[in-house]
């Protein structure tokens, strides 16, 4: 367990000290959200209608942005080989790296999401569902992303390939997450969507560490 | 043949597939010819859809194949990961572009039918959307095969992707139902449904489905044979390069001694 926590601490420290860490991801999130009113027009009612979907799609893209460095740097400098040799199972190492990715990428997004929702005129009852949805759903983004990162770690300039592989896998998370906020905005109960969202995250938690660890083993062969 | 696993031997697979290929291709040609003539010229127009109903003779079989080819790839991936039979991995690789093409045909024929019938070639309906996602799965799978040089590593990684993709494809299929109720009609070929497609359309449609399945099988055998031959060429080239390297090493060694 202490190795697990040490690995999380190492990855968080690295992310914070190199390249601005979560701040850059949150800024990217802000820019994508900014593009939407510029693209579709400033009408408050129209923005309120699309706000949940825009925020979720922007969060997806912001999570995607940092995924190609999730394992690549460790692969290049050989730390990934050390991790594979360490007593900690590779599956647990993947889980630790995904947790660190979630802490450095998703938590800043969740922190700034209410402010951005305000600019998009999100109806007041939807805030709770939006934040709850992001808290429940974004771990799935990091976990699924770890599989994509593990599959493409041996590919030079695999960033674009990673996006093509990972984004279709994000569909259920996006649907249930945006749906929860959307239903709350219309005064409907968000509970069922949030439960489905939790189910997707648990499914990702059950599959991803094993799939990603298998892919890393192939890439280290 | 005593067991299906005997096909795992590439030499035996080449022999058997060479014998099976003309039969599959001939059967496909016959079934497609019968289905096309019967379906397009000998069935009545629908009382409401007119002659556009006949698009179903291409649309339904291609959609059916699009899903089943992905399922076949998932099974082949499991076989490769568990039993390490190269033919299995190569069959999955060979099937992917055919599946992508079938998905594209289903989407295109659906758009041709949707334009006059729904008034729009594309609507964000659950079935249409899940097919678009399926197409993206195929593209990602093909791209991953193309991106990795070592064939065994590529086979392993694409198999992992295919299996993870299968899980999320199924989840997406039901998630999109949650998202939009949709316009696409339900299944009308089920064995247990009360109301199915009329008999006049049923039999030519079955002929077309058989034709598409045989056509897929013929293409799959052909493409898998090509992949096996390509693998052999690669192995021969590697062996030659290694032999040349060894000879040069020996010459250098001789020069050092002299």
């Amino acid at each position: 367990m202490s190795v697990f926590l040490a690995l999380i601490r190492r990855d968080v420290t690295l992310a914070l000290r190199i390249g601005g860490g979560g701040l850059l991801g949150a800024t990217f999130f802000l820019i994508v959200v900014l593009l939407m009113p510029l693209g579709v027009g400033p009408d408050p009612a129209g923005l309120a209608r699309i706000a949940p979907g825009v925020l979720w799609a922007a969060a997806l893209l912001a999570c995607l942005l940092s995924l190609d460095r999730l394992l690549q740097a460790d692969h290049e400098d050989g730390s990934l080989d050390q991790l594979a040799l360490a007593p900690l199972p590779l599956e647990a190492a993947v889980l630790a790296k995904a947790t660190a990715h979630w802490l450095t990428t998703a938590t800043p997004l969740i922190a700034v999401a209410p402010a951005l929702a305000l600019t998009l005129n999100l109806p007041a009852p939807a805030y709770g569902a939006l934040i709850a949805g992001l808290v429940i759903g974004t771990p799935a983004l990091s976990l699924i992303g770890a599989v994509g990162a593990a599959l493409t770690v041996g590919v030079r300039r695999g960033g674009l390939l990673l996006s093509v592989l990972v984004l279709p896998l994000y569909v259920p998370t996006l649907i249930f997450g945006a749906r929860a906020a959307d239903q709350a905005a219309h005064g409907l109960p968000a509970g069922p969507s949030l439960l489905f969202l939790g189910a997707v995250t648990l499914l990702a938690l059950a599959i991803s560490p094993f799939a990603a660890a298998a892919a890393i083993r192939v890439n280290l062969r | 043949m005593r067991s299906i696993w005997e096909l795992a031997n590439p030499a035996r697979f080449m022999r058997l597939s060479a014998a099976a290929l003309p039969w599959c291709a001939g059967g496909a040609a016959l079934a497609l010819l019968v289905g096309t003539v019967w379906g397009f010229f000998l069935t009545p127009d629908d009382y409401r859809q007119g002659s556009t109903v006949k698009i179903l003779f291409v649309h339904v079989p291609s959609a059916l194949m699009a899903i089943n080819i992905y399922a076949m790839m998932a099974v082949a991936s499991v076989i490769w990961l568990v039993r390490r039979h190269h033919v299995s991995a190569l069959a999955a690789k060979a099937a992917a572009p055919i599946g992508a093409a079938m998905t594209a045909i289903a989407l295109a024929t659906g758009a041709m039918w949707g334009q006059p019938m729904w008034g729009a070639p594309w609507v964000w309906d659950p079935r249409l959307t899940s097919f678009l996602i399926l197409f993206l799965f195929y593209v990602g799978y093909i791209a991953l095969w193309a991106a990795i040089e070592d064939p065994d590593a590529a086979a392993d990684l694409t198999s992992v992707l295919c299996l993870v993709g299968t899980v999320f494809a199924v989840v997406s299929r039901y998630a999109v139902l949650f998202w939009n109720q949709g316009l696409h009609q339900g299944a009308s070929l089920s064995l247990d449904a009360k109301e199915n497609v009329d008999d006049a359309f049923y039999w030519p449609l079955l002929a077309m489905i058989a034709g598409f399945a045989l056509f897929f099988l013929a293409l799959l055998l052909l493409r898998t044979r090509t992949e096996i031959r390509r693998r052999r060429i690669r192995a021969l080239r590697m062996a030659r390069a290694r032999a040349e390297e060894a000879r040069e090493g020996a010459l250098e060694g001789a020069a050092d001694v002299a």
Side-chain angles (χ1 to χ4, degrees), chain B residues 2-205:
Chain B
R2 267 153 291 141
S3 147
I4 185 138
W5 301 117
E6 287 184 20
L7 285 173
N9 178 337
R12 193 165 290 157
F13 175 83
M14 289 302 266
R15 220 167 36 243
L16 275 167
S17 61
L21 188 54
W23 291 98
C24 288
L30 187 69
L32 287 176
L33 188 72
V34 168
T36 311
V37 172
W38 191 355
F40 283 2
F41 301 108
L42 304 176
T43 54
D45 285 354
D46 185 78
Y47 80 101
R48 208 184 299 158
Q49 301 176 39
S51 56
T52 58
V53 70
K54 290 172 182 179
I55 294 173
L56 105 126
F57 292 116
V58 179
H59 180 70
V60 173
S62 58
L64 209 62
M65 294 315 294
I67 296 168
N68 286 316
I69 290 171
Y70 199 85
M72 174 245 139
M73 281 160 54
V75 172
S77 299
V78 172
I79 294 173
W80 160 251
L81 286 179
V82 175
R83 302 193 60 143
R84 316 300 291 177
H85 294 323
H86 283 87
V87 174
S88 182
L90 292 177
K93 182 188 184 187
I98 312 174
M102 290 290 178
T103 316
I105 292 171
L107 286 170
T109 50
M112 287 172 203
W113 183 87
Q115 178 62 47
M117 288 300 119
W118 291 343
W122 181 265
V123 289
W124 290 98
D125 162 279
R127 284 201 190 216
L128 277 69
T129 311
S130 29
F131 256 70
L132 196 59
I133 298 168
L134 182 66
F135 185 71
L136 292 175
F137 274 122
Y138 276 122
V139 172
Y141 180 88
I142 297 167
L144 190 61
W145 260 111
I148 297 160
E149 209 166 321
D150 178 57
D152 278 3
D156 280 333
L157 295 175
T158 51
S159 297
V160 170
L161 175 68
C162 184
L163 295 181
V164 174
T166 308
V167 174
F168 281 91
V170 172
V171 176
S172 301
R173 170 77 185 83
Y174 291 98
V176 290
L177 285 179
F178 203 78
W179 161 74
N180 188 343
Q181 285 310 306
L183 206 52
H184 197 291
Q185 63 265 51
S188 51
L189 280 175
S190 317
L191 294 174
D192 57 349
K194 278 202 189 72
E195 201 174 354
N196 269 333
V197 69
D198 189 86
D199 274 354
F201 298 116
Y202 189 77
W203 295 106
L205 187 54

Side-chain angles (χ1 to χ4, degrees), chain A residues 13-26:
Chain A
T13 313
L14 276 175
L16 290 181
R17 292 192 185 156
I18 303 171
L23 213 59
L24 212 54

